Amino acid sequence: MSEVNNNLGLMPVWSQGNWVTRSVFAALLLMSLASWVVILIKALDVVRAKRQAAWVEGFWHSSDMA
């Protein structure tokens, strides 16, 4: 069976690319990582807000305010 020359992928693009290709790739990678960090921080904020809302709801519905 003959070997297939596959030039589709990230490694050939990186190794054959110039500084523009590499800088765009790096910028996209950094922006993607930053987006995931923001998504995770916001998800943790939502979890914390739901926990706090449940506590406040329990506070206002308690039979004893002591």
Side-chain angles (χ1 to χ4, degrees):
M1 181 165 246
S2 65
E3 186 177 320
V4 176
N5 188 8
N6 189 357
N7 288 335
L8 302 175
L10 295 179
M11 290 311 294
V13 171
W14 182 264
S15 63
Q16 296 171 7
N18 58 6
W19 67 272
V20 175
T21 306
R22 291 179 182 176
S23 61
V24 168
F25 180 79
L28 289 173
L29 182 65
L30 287 174
M31 287 188 287
S32 177
L33 290 173
S35 296
W36 279 107
V37 167
V38 169
I39 289 168
L40 290 174
I41 289 172
K42 292 298 181 182
L44 291 174
D45 286 345
V46 168
V47 168
R48 186 174 29 237
K50 283 184 179 182
R51 190 179 310 134
Q52 189 175 14
W55 182 85
V56 169
E57 190 69 25
F59 171 79
W60 287 112
H61 289 257
S62 66
S63 60
D64 186 5
M65 288 293 199

PDB file of all heavy atoms in Angstrom, residues 30-48:
ATOM      1  N   LEU A  30      -4.890  31.962  21.237  1.00  0.00           N
ATOM      2  CA  LEU A  30      -4.998  32.749  22.462  1.00  0.00           C
ATOM      3  C   LEU A  30      -6.419  33.264  22.694  1.00  0.00           C
ATOM      4  O   LEU A  30      -6.924  33.245  23.820  1.00  0.00           O
ATOM      5  CB  LEU A  30      -4.014  33.921  22.425  1.00  0.00           C
ATOM      6  CG  LEU A  30      -2.548  33.545  22.602  1.00  0.00           C
ATOM      7  CD1 LEU A  30      -1.658  34.766  22.392  1.00  0.00           C
ATOM      8  CD2 LEU A  30      -2.315  32.952  23.966  1.00  0.00           C
ATOM      9  N   MET A  31      -7.070  33.715  21.625  1.00  0.00           N
ATOM     10  CA  MET A  31      -8.451  34.195  21.770  1.00  0.00           C
ATOM     11  C   MET A  31      -9.397  33.057  22.141  1.00  0.00           C
ATOM     12  O   MET A  31     -10.334  33.243  22.921  1.00  0.00           O
ATOM     13  CB  MET A  31      -8.904  34.888  20.491  1.00  0.00           C
ATOM     14  CG  MET A  31      -8.254  36.241  20.296  1.00  0.00           C
ATOM     15  SD  MET A  31      -8.934  37.186  18.927  1.00  0.00           S
ATOM     16  CE  MET A  31      -8.282  36.297  17.527  1.00  0.00           C
ATOM     17  N   SER A  32      -9.161  31.882  21.601  1.00  0.00           N
ATOM     18  CA  SER A  32      -9.976  30.729  21.947  1.00  0.00           C
ATOM     19  C   SER A  32      -9.810  30.367  23.418  1.00  0.00           C
ATOM     20  O   SER A  32     -10.799  30.118  24.122  1.00  0.00           O
ATOM     21  CB  SER A  32      -9.601  29.536  21.064  1.00  0.00           C
ATOM     22  OG  SER A  32     -10.332  28.396  21.437  1.00  0.00           O
ATOM     23  N   LEU A  33      -8.570  30.332  23.878  1.00  0.00           N
ATOM     24  CA  LEU A  33      -8.329  30.034  25.290  1.00  0.00           C
ATOM     25  C   LEU A  33      -8.952  31.098  26.194  1.00  0.00           C
ATOM     26  O   LEU A  33      -9.553  30.766  27.228  1.00  0.00           O
ATOM     27  CB  LEU A  33      -6.830  29.928  25.554  1.00  0.00           C
ATOM     28  CG  LEU A  33      -6.142  28.705  24.958  1.00  0.00           C
ATOM     29  CD1 LEU A  33      -4.635  28.807  25.152  1.00  0.00           C
ATOM     30  CD2 LEU A  33      -6.682  27.431  25.561  1.00  0.00           C
ATOM     31  N   ALA A  34      -8.835  32.350  25.821  1.00  0.00           N
ATOM     32  CA  ALA A  34      -9.434  33.430  26.613  1.00  0.00           C
ATOM     33  C   ALA A  34     -10.953  33.294  26.650  1.00  0.00           C
ATOM     34  O   ALA A  34     -11.576  33.525  27.693  1.00  0.00           O
ATOM     35  CB  ALA A  34      -9.034  34.782  26.040  1.00  0.00           C
ATOM     36  N   SER A  35     -11.554  32.896  25.541  1.00  0.00           N
ATOM     37  CA  SER A  35     -13.007  32.702  25.501  1.00  0.00           C
ATOM     38  C   SER A  35     -13.435  31.595  26.448  1.00  0.00           C
ATOM     39  O   SER A  35     -14.435  31.728  27.164  1.00  0.00           O
ATOM     40  CB  SER A  35     -13.460  32.364  24.083  1.00  0.00           C
ATOM     41  OG  SER A  35     -13.203  33.431  23.212  1.00  0.00           O
ATOM     42  N   TRP A  36     -12.678  30.489  26.465  1.00  0.00           N
ATOM     43  CA  TRP A  36     -13.026  29.384  27.366  1.00  0.00           C
ATOM     44  C   TRP A  36     -12.857  29.780  28.823  1.00  0.00           C
ATOM     45  O   TRP A  36     -13.641  29.363  29.680  1.00  0.00           O
ATOM     46  CB  TRP A  36     -12.208  28.139  27.034  1.00  0.00           C
ATOM     47  CG  TRP A  36     -12.787  27.407  25.878  1.00  0.00           C
ATOM     48  CD1 TRP A  36     -12.293  27.344  24.611  1.00  0.00           C
ATOM     49  CD2 TRP A  36     -14.016  26.670  25.865  1.00  0.00           C
ATOM     50  NE1 TRP A  36     -13.134  26.600  23.818  1.00  0.00           N
ATOM     51  CE2 TRP A  36     -14.196  26.174  24.555  1.00  0.00           C
ATOM     52  CE3 TRP A  36     -14.976  26.385  26.821  1.00  0.00           C
ATOM     53  CZ2 TRP A  36     -15.295  25.402  24.202  1.00  0.00           C
ATOM     54  CZ3 TRP A  36     -16.069  25.609  26.471  1.00  0.00           C
ATOM     55  CH2 TRP A  36     -16.224  25.135  25.176  1.00  0.00           C
ATOM     56  N   VAL A  37     -11.875  30.607  29.123  1.00  0.00           N
ATOM     57  CA  VAL A  37     -11.699  31.090  30.498  1.00  0.00           C
ATOM     58  C   VAL A  37     -12.902  31.930  30.907  1.00  0.00           C
ATOM     59  O   VAL A  37     -13.448  31.776  32.005  1.00  0.00           O
ATOM     60  CB  VAL A  37     -10.380  31.881  30.635  1.00  0.00           C
ATOM     61  CG1 VAL A  37     -10.323  32.644  31.944  1.00  0.00           C
ATOM     62  CG2 VAL A  37      -9.196  30.950  30.512  1.00  0.00           C
ATOM     63  N   VAL A  38     -13.349  32.815  30.029  1.00  0.00           N
ATOM     64  CA  VAL A  38     -14.524  33.645  30.325  1.00  0.00           C
ATOM     65  C   VAL A  38     -15.763  32.776  30.502  1.00  0.00           C
ATOM     66  O   VAL A  38     -16.563  32.994  31.419  1.00  0.00           O
ATOM     67  CB  VAL A  38     -14.736  34.705  29.217  1.00  0.00           C
ATOM     68  CG1 VAL A  38     -16.072  35.395  29.361  1.00  0.00           C
ATOM     69  CG2 VAL A  38     -13.605  35.716  29.229  1.00  0.00           C
ATOM     70  N   ILE A  39     -15.943  31.774  29.646  1.00  0.00           N
ATOM     71  CA  ILE A  39     -17.093  30.880  29.746  1.00  0.00           C
ATOM     72  C   ILE A  39     -17.089  30.154  31.090  1.00  0.00           C
ATOM     73  O   ILE A  39     -18.128  30.063  31.768  1.00  0.00           O
ATOM     74  CB  ILE A  39     -17.104  29.876  28.574  1.00  0.00           C
ATOM     75  CG1 ILE A  39     -17.442  30.593  27.276  1.00  0.00           C
ATOM     76  CG2 ILE A  39     -18.065  28.730  28.831  1.00  0.00           C
ATOM     77  CD1 ILE A  39     -17.203  29.771  26.026  1.00  0.00           C
ATOM     78  N   LEU A  40     -15.941  29.647  31.502  1.00  0.00           N
ATOM     79  CA  LEU A  40     -15.862  28.935  32.784  1.00  0.00           C
ATOM     80  C   LEU A  40     -16.102  29.864  33.964  1.00  0.00           C
ATOM     81  O   LEU A  40     -16.800  29.497  34.922  1.00  0.00           O
ATOM     82  CB  LEU A  40     -14.509  28.252  32.917  1.00  0.00           C
ATOM     83  CG  LEU A  40     -14.279  27.066  31.992  1.00  0.00           C
ATOM     84  CD1 LEU A  40     -12.849  26.566  32.117  1.00  0.00           C
ATOM     85  CD2 LEU A  40     -15.271  25.958  32.282  1.00  0.00           C
ATOM     86  N   ILE A  41     -15.560  31.072  33.916  1.00  0.00           N
ATOM     87  CA  ILE A  41     -15.784  32.032  35.011  1.00  0.00           C
ATOM     88  C   ILE A  41     -17.256  32.388  35.114  1.00  0.00           C
ATOM     89  O   ILE A  41     -17.828  32.439  36.211  1.00  0.00           O
ATOM     90  CB  ILE A  41     -14.910  33.284  34.809  1.00  0.00           C
ATOM     91  CG1 ILE A  41     -13.442  32.933  35.064  1.00  0.00           C
ATOM     92  CG2 ILE A  41     -15.358  34.424  35.718  1.00  0.00           C
ATOM     93  CD1 ILE A  41     -12.480  34.038  34.699  1.00  0.00           C
ATOM     94  N   LYS A  42     -17.905  32.617  33.979  1.00  0.00           N
ATOM     95  CA  LYS A  42     -19.330  32.962  33.995  1.00  0.00           C
ATOM     96  C   LYS A  42     -20.180  31.784  34.479  1.00  0.00           C
ATOM     97  O   LYS A  42     -21.169  31.975  35.188  1.00  0.00           O
ATOM     98  CB  LYS A  42     -19.796  33.412  32.607  1.00  0.00           C
ATOM     99  CG  LYS A  42     -19.204  34.728  32.174  1.00  0.00           C
ATOM    100  CD  LYS A  42     -19.620  35.835  33.116  1.00  0.00           C
ATOM    101  CE  LYS A  42     -19.057  37.157  32.685  1.00  0.00           C
ATOM    102  NZ  LYS A  42     -19.412  38.227  33.614  1.00  0.00           N
ATOM    103  N   ALA A  43     -19.802  30.565  34.102  1.00  0.00           N
ATOM    104  CA  ALA A  43     -20.533  29.393  34.569  1.00  0.00           C
ATOM    105  C   ALA A  43     -20.413  29.258  36.085  1.00  0.00           C
ATOM    106  O   ALA A  43     -21.406  28.948  36.768  1.00  0.00           O
ATOM    107  CB  ALA A  43     -20.019  28.133  33.880  1.00  0.00           C
ATOM    108  N   LEU A  44     -19.230  29.507  36.625  1.00  0.00           N
ATOM    109  CA  LEU A  44     -19.063  29.470  38.081  1.00  0.00           C
ATOM    110  C   LEU A  44     -19.857  30.586  38.759  1.00  0.00           C
ATOM    111  O   LEU A  44     -20.409  30.384  39.855  1.00  0.00           O
ATOM    112  CB  LEU A  44     -17.580  29.582  38.436  1.00  0.00           C
ATOM    113  CG  LEU A  44     -16.727  28.372  38.070  1.00  0.00           C
ATOM    114  CD1 LEU A  44     -15.258  28.669  38.342  1.00  0.00           C
ATOM    115  CD2 LEU A  44     -17.183  27.133  38.813  1.00  0.00           C
ATOM    116  N   ASP A  45     -19.939  31.746  38.132  1.00  0.00           N
ATOM    117  CA  ASP A  45     -20.759  32.839  38.671  1.00  0.00           C
ATOM    118  C   ASP A  45     -22.236  32.450  38.728  1.00  0.00           C
ATOM    119  O   ASP A  45     -22.934  32.759  39.688  1.00  0.00           O
ATOM    120  CB  ASP A  45     -20.597  34.106  37.844  1.00  0.00           C
ATOM    121  CG  ASP A  45     -19.275  34.797  38.079  1.00  0.00           C
ATOM    122  OD1 ASP A  45     -18.592  34.465  39.072  1.00  0.00           O
ATOM    123  OD2 ASP A  45     -18.924  35.680  37.262  1.00  0.00           O
ATOM    124  N   VAL A  46     -22.718  31.770  37.693  1.00  0.00           N
ATOM    125  CA  VAL A  46     -24.116  31.334  37.659  1.00  0.00           C
ATOM    126  C   VAL A  46     -24.380  30.317  38.767  1.00  0.00           C
ATOM    127  O   VAL A  46     -25.397  30.397  39.471  1.00  0.00           O
ATOM    128  CB  VAL A  46     -24.484  30.760  36.274  1.00  0.00           C
ATOM    129  CG1 VAL A  46     -25.817  30.048  36.302  1.00  0.00           C
ATOM    130  CG2 VAL A  46     -24.496  31.870  35.240  1.00  0.00           C
ATOM    131  N   VAL A  47     -23.464  29.377  38.951  1.00  0.00           N
ATOM    132  CA  VAL A  47     -23.624  28.373  40.012  1.00  0.00           C
ATOM    133  C   VAL A  47     -23.646  29.056  41.369  1.00  0.00           C
ATOM    134  O   VAL A  47     -24.487  28.749  42.220  1.00  0.00           O
ATOM    135  CB  VAL A  47     -22.495  27.318  39.932  1.00  0.00           C
ATOM    136  CG1 VAL A  47     -22.464  26.442  41.164  1.00  0.00           C
ATOM    137  CG2 VAL A  47     -22.649  26.489  38.676  1.00  0.00           C
ATOM    138  N   ARG A  48     -22.741  30.002  41.577  1.00  0.00           N
ATOM    139  CA  ARG A  48     -22.693  30.724  42.847  1.00  0.00           C
ATOM    140  C   ARG A  48     -23.966  31.543  43.067  1.00  0.00           C
ATOM    141  O   ARG A  48     -24.513  31.589  44.168  1.00  0.00           O
ATOM    142  CB  ARG A  48     -21.455  31.624  42.885  1.00  0.00           C
ATOM    143  CG  ARG A  48     -21.249  32.291  44.205  1.00  0.00           C
ATOM    144  CD  ARG A  48     -19.947  33.081  44.317  1.00  0.00           C
ATOM    145  NE  ARG A  48     -19.466  33.615  43.050  1.00  0.00           N
ATOM    146  CZ  ARG A  48     -18.264  33.344  42.554  1.00  0.00           C
ATOM    147  NH1 ARG A  48     -17.439  32.558  43.196  1.00  0.00           N
ATOM    148  NH2 ARG A  48     -17.877  33.895  41.413  1.00  0.00           N
TER     149      ARG A  48
END
